[in-house]
């Protein structure tokens, strides 16, 4: 009986300990293009460093929105829509691939995969998946079985909802401030920490 009580107490303690590890999360929405040099630099040099090296991912609801500046035209004769991405047709296809990763992988897996893919203009999904030991089967099936227009529709709507003039652009805490973009893109960690303190009245120990 005493053993049962002790085990029950231990389980309850573990539950409470795990509950204490749940932090308030600040939403960060990254609007980017897969072949945009500025997008690549921001994700590799600012975002990834802050999230992983700076340990901020645990305090973040990170949302990737791979779309950017895209034009579209729907043929009236057959109702087929064509997308025109800023860096060409290949970028539209890569945007869709990234979107499938966003839809089918965890937030940490998304960050790792997308950062790896943005290391170069011809980085392969299978190479990154093997290096990172991440299962991308569902993401690849998503890309193979759906049209690019269908995959990107949601991300296009999300992008159209903000007054974006530059790629990448970042919204923090559900707020997109066009006048704060330069500061965010060059000092992301500092801005994130300041916004976290403003919203939750908590100064994060790992902020820098």
């Amino acid at each position: 009986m005493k053993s049962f009580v002790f085990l029950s107490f231990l389980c309850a303690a573990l539950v409470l300990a795990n509950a204490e590890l749940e932090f308030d999360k600040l939403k960060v929405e990254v609007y980017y293009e897969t072949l945009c040099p500025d997008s690549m630099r921001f994700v590799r040099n600012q975002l990834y460093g802050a999230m992983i090296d700076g340990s901020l991912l645990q305090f973040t609801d990170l949302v990737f929105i791979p779309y950017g500046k895209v034009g579209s035209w729907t043929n009236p004769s057959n109702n087929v829509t064509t997308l025109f991405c800023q860096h060409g047709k290949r970028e539209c296809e890569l945007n869709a691939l990234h979107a499938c990763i966003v839809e089918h992988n965890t937030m940490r897996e998304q960050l790792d995969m997308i950062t790896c893919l943005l290391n170069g203009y011809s980085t392969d999904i299978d190479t990154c998946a093997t290096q990172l030991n991440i299962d991308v089967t569902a993401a690849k099936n998503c890309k193979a079985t759906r049209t690019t227009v269908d995959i990107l529709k949601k991300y296009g709507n999300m992008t159209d909802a903000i007054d974006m003039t530059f790629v990448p652009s970042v919204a923090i805490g559900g707020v997109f401030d066009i006048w704060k973009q330069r500061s965010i893109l060059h000092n992301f960690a500092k801005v994130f920490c300041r916004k976290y303190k403003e919203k939750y009245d908590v100064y994060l120990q790992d902020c820098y």
Side-chain angles (χ1 to χ4, degrees):
M1 181 66 180
K2 289 182 179 179
S3 296
F4 175 76
V5 172
F6 174 75
L7 288 173
S8 297
F9 174 79
L10 181 61
C11 288
L14 289 172
V15 169
L16 289 173
N18 288 331
E20 290 176 357
L21 293 176
E22 287 296 319
F23 302 105
D24 289 320
K25 297 184 184 297
L26 186 64
K27 191 170 188 178
V28 173
E29 296 159 291
V30 180
Y31 300 82
Y32 72 105
E33 296 168 344
T34 52
L35 292 180
C36 167
D38 291 315
S39 294
M40 298 166 82
R41 277 191 292 269
F42 171 72
V43 172
R44 294 195 317 254
N45 301 337
Q46 289 285 329
L47 185 68
Y48 189 85
M51 293 293 111
I52 304 305
D53 299 334
S55 303
L56 296 181
L57 186 62
Q58 60 190 321
F59 306 104
T60 309
D61 175 16
L62 182 60
V63 181
F64 285 104
I65 304 163
Y67 195 76
K69 296 181 178 180
V70 179
S72 65
W73 178 73
T74 301
N75 189 328
S77 64
N78 57 16
N79 204 36
V80 172
T81 298
T82 302
L83 299 180
F84 301 94
C85 291
Q86 183 165 213
H87 298 92
K89 181 178 179 180
R90 181 165 173 265
E91 181 171 75
C92 287
E93 298 302 320
L94 287 172
N95 285 351
L97 178 61
H98 282 226
C100 285
I101 292 170
V102 171
E103 290 185 12
H104 293 283
N105 288 88
T106 68
M107 188 168 64
R108 175 58 195 267
E109 289 172 344
Q110 292 171 38
L111 177 61
D112 287 342
M113 281 296 301
I114 288 171
T115 302
C116 180
L117 289 169
L118 294 181
N119 270 322
Y121 293 101
S122 58
T123 313
D124 180 70
I125 184 173
D126 291 320
T127 300
C128 287
T130 300
Q131 290 176 353
L132 297 165
N133 194 28
I134 293 175
D135 185 359
V136 292
T137 304
K140 291 173 66 175
N141 183 63
C142 161
K143 179 64 176 67
T145 59
R146 296 169 59 192
T147 67
T148 296
V149 172
D150 175 53
I151 294 170
L152 292 179
K153 183 178 181 180
K154 177 176 75 171
Y155 303 94
N157 291 338
M158 294 170 72
T159 302
D160 291 342
I162 67 169
D163 185 22
M164 186 183 71
T165 59
F166 184 80
V167 181
S169 286
V170 181
I172 299 180
V175 177
F176 174 75
D177 188 339
I178 193 172
W179 304 108
K180 299 292 185 183
Q181 292 305 299
R182 179 178 293 274
S183 178
I184 292 171
L185 295 178
H186 294 281
N187 298 283
F188 174 77
K190 290 182 179 179
V191 176
F192 178 92
C193 291
R194 185 170 65 247
K195 294 295 184 181
Y196 196 94
K197 177 69 168 60
E198 289 175 2
K199 184 165 185 176
Y200 299 115
D201 196 26
V202 173
Y203 182 80
L204 300 177
Q205 184 177 357
D206 294 316
C207 277
Y208 58 93

